[in-house]
Amino acid sequence: TVPEPQAFLPCISWGWAQIQGGGKAVTPILARAWGCAVQFLRASFPDSDGDVGDDAGAVQWPAFGDYNEFQASAPVVALEWLGERSLVYLTVTNEFTVVDTVMMTLIERLDFSVVKLVYAEFSLSRVASTQSANGGSDDQDKTITIRSQCISTTFQNSIRSADGRILILCQEDLLAVSNLGIKQRVSTLEEDGEWLEALALALDHYESTIKSLEDRRRLRDRDLSKHPEFARGQRSEEEEWIAALLLRYMKLAVENAPEPVRDNSAGSAGRDKQQSRFIDLAHGHFQMLAGVCIDFCVVTRRLDLLFGPVFDCFKFAQYVSVFFDVLEPYVLNEKLDYIAPEAMTFFIDHCKAMNDLAIVERCLLHMNVTFMDFDTILSLLRDNGMYTALLHVYGRGLDDFATPLAELFEALFDAADSCNAKTYRRPDGIPKNLFEEYGYKAMMYIQFCLQGKMFPQGTSLEPAEKVQAVRHEVLGFLQEETHAAPPTMRKRGSANSSMPRRSTRRMLHPYLRLLIALDTRALLETLSIFFDNPDVTREDVQEFGRHSDGLCPDCQEITSILSHIIMPENDESRPGALSTEMDLPQESRDAFLDFVATYLLKGIISVSVPITMNILTRMSSLVMESNTTAHIVAAQQKAQARVLELLEALPRNSYDHKKALRIVEDAGLNRAALLLHRESLMALLQGGASQDVIKHHFCSSIDCYLRDNDRDYRALVFDYIKNDCMSSIVDCAARYHEPD
């Protein structure tokens, strides 16, 4: 059995057509359909100036390349070009379809099942031959011929294009199908009251013809001169036509909006229920209208339209809150990165009425602040206490990192002056007043700056030189000795004359002092980001020059200021420190001593002798806090290792030797005491001290060996006596009995 062949004839149509990305230029395209497959073949003609060889008189046929293709829903029986970017085809299921060949989108689909078209039938035949052998004899071989026929129908000659129309030859009349322009099609939908379909068609036209690839690249580059709000004089005629369509729809929607029934306080329960239904209906109507207008303006990039006539319309109708409720998701999803100054003022008032100003800050973090009116937006943020957004706008928009910190500190000073310093902290760590809220926000901002990150997103600052500049700018501000209002506050008038007499503003180093009062340990952890950064320390030393003791200038200066504030009674470098003493808890002092000990070991700072002695006392006191024998032994080992490491790192003139010896002996740190005794012996033997003093240190050193918990370490006492004690005693005896 021979399978019946397919009964579909190929359809072809030549046309000069536009191609995607080619602008208005036209190219010869051959459209070909066979079955359900529709192909576009682009003609490429040979170069007439090329070498044609011996066949100079031969016809130069074009070559065809497969440009694009798609699958129809049913086999195609007719195909024809309609204009430079439209193709029509008819399928065996009587679907008459118009396709945009540039965007490859469906324009129109009509049902031709009731249209009696003229058609042609072809009788297609096929002959198949085969041989059959009977008994293997040649004279008995027979040739079998199989013939098959099928009728194929074509409508190709019934559909032709002429003068921008499709002429369709029917059995009783001639139909003309015109491809209406976009404005005519939109106007038809508008006259029929199908406004949403008209707007959708206009948007499709905008994205396919107006919004070019160059426009998309320009939008990604965030070119200020091309921002929609500032490009009001660069609109094309089609863009203005699309905008006028939206304004007509909006006017009609507002004029026909349901009227909300106001509460007259004199109606039945049924009437109240009816009023509520009408009010909800009006709210939903304007909510739908806001969604259409915002989406239309965002897609067409007409922010001047959105925050001009559209916003004014919602203000007039008193549905601004609905407008902003619909607008918010567009900003948070980064579909809209700009809000005009006047609209921003209403937006902030709207969020204040909802008691949720955090919405404004969340939105600002997703907006392009380089397009904003900085004077207006910063004033709004400052007046409403939205300092997270203020820090973001300054850093991202103005590339300024110290000024917003200064403004935040002004609010922090005011909060500190208005609350009790003894009630700042809260055990659960949740801020309970503005002092804690602003203070920890400032602390986090400083951490981001020292880490080279943008606040609050955490994106990296670039280049590396900018990171170094921001770190020094922020640290330089914190180290200021006296308070100075930021330039933005000076313009509005300073209130220094009205500040309380005990205000932190009047104290030395008010900025660091305020953060110390808030949370000393958190501040020290923040500063450790700078102290621990080897790049910062090394570049500081290279840029500013090393001190005679090789210390980092900034780190040393910060440590001196901290010691002046936290432990003024031990600050020998600043007379009169007690006059600004703060009432800090002991845990603040302990945190500072632990911080200083860490960087004394690294050799990047130095402190006064009293502070060093406090550090030794702090390290040794950890042994006293243990309450069991096992804990005491473990604590002694840990404390002894830390004390030994510190004593070996410090020069001998940085601490009081006798007091240090007494501290470690009282704590039972025998190996630390042994180190101090041996250092004393070296100094005494060189200085010619009395035999009794030398004998005391030798005996004490031997006791340190014998009191150690490690048996192997105790056995080292014999080597010490043999090698150190005996030789030193002989030298000492010879020195004292030497004749004059």
Side-chain angles (χ1 to χ4, degrees), residues 12-86:
I12 60 174
S13 178
W14 273 101
W16 289 88
Q18 300 176 12
I19 61 174
Q20 190 171 14
K24 298 294 185 180
V26 292
T27 302
I29 298 289
L30 176 65
R32 179 176 67 180
W34 199 341
C36 295
V38 180
Q39 292 180 312
F40 297 97
L41 304 177
R42 187 175 182 180
S44 177
F45 293 91
D47 188 359
S48 59
D49 297 333
D51 186 8
V52 296
D54 297 335
D55 299 331
V59 177
Q60 301 296 316
W61 299 104
F64 293 93
D66 189 359
Y67 165 66
N68 207 341
E69 67 177 289
F70 66 91
Q71 292 289 322
S73 59
V76 177
V77 294
L79 186 73
E80 189 71 17
W81 283 99
L82 176 61
E84 297 177 345
R85 56 181 299 156
S86 300

Side-chain angles (χ1 to χ4, degrees), residues 432-447:
K432 64 178 180 180
N433 53 38
L434 287 178
F435 176 76
E436 290 184 344
E437 180 182 341
Y438 292 159
Y440 284 111
K441 186 170 295 185
M443 203 92 72
M444 183 177 294
Y445 176 75
I446 295 169
Q447 288 180 4

Side-chain angles (χ1 to χ4, degrees), residues 460-651:
S460 298
L461 279 170
E462 294 179 352
E465 293 77 9
K466 183 177 181 179
V467 176
Q468 300 297 335
V470 169
R471 285 170 173 163
H472 286 290
E473 187 179 2
V474 171
L475 287 175
F477 168 77
L478 292 177
Q479 293 175 205
E480 290 293 335
E481 187 171 359
T482 58
H483 168 264
T488 53
M489 305 295 287
R490 294 177 202 149
K491 294 177 182 178
R492 300 191 306 168
S494 176
N496 289 339
S497 58
S498 60
M499 72 174 64
R501 293 184 59 186
R502 298 291 298 173
S503 172
T504 312
R505 287 184 175 96
R506 297 184 181 274
M507 298 183 181
L508 292 177
H509 304 292
Y511 305 108
L512 281 175
R513 190 180 296 273
L514 204 58
L515 296 180
I516 289 171
L518 172 71
D519 193 331
T520 305
R521 189 173 297 277
L523 172 63
L524 297 175
E525 290 175 355
T526 300
L527 293 176
S528 66
I529 299 172
F530 176 76
F531 279 61
D532 289 336
N533 193 324
D535 294 332
V536 173
T537 301
R538 181 167 60 252
E539 292 185 7
D540 283 344
V541 172
Q542 293 174 354
E543 181 178 355
F544 298 106
R546 300 179 68 91
H547 289 181
S548 58
D549 52 6
L551 304 177
C552 172
D554 276 354
C555 294
Q556 182 60 47
E557 178 63 21
I558 293 172
T559 305
S560 300
I561 296 173
L562 294 175
S563 63
H564 165 65
I565 298 172
I566 299 174
M567 305 186 72
E569 69 279 4
N570 296 320
D571 189 2
E572 299 176 343
S573 62
R574 298 173 184 264
L578 289 175
S579 61
T580 58
E581 183 177 358
M582 294 179 65
D583 183 17
L584 294 174
Q586 184 60 40
E587 52 263 30
S588 296
R589 296 169 178 263
D590 292 341
F592 173 69
L593 294 176
D594 294 340
F595 173 82
V596 172
T598 300
Y599 297 104
L600 282 175
L601 291 173
K602 295 183 179 182
I604 64 174
I605 62 171
S606 65
V607 291
S608 63
V609 172
I611 293 180
T612 306
M613 301 311 300
N614 276 286
I615 294 173
L616 290 173
T617 303
R618 162 76 175 155
M619 291 180 173
S620 303
S621 64
L622 298 177
V623 180
M624 308 301 181
E625 298 175 1
S626 303
N627 50 12
T628 64
T629 304
H631 288 169
I632 291 175
V633 173
Q636 281 182 336
Q637 292 176 350
K638 183 178 179 179
Q640 189 153 244
R642 295 184 62 192
V643 171
L644 280 172
E645 187 180 9
L646 180 62
L647 291 175
E648 290 172 354
L650 293 176

Side-chain angles (χ1 to χ4, degrees), residues 373-400:
D373 180 356
F374 291 107
D375 291 337
T376 302
I377 189 63
L378 290 176
S379 178
L380 289 172
L381 297 177
R382 193 182 298 117
D383 294 341
N384 291 279
M386 292 182 284
Y387 288 100
T388 299
L390 185 136
L391 294 168
H392 168 72
V393 171
Y394 262 110
R396 184 73 69 178
L398 297 175
D399 201 28
D400 187 350

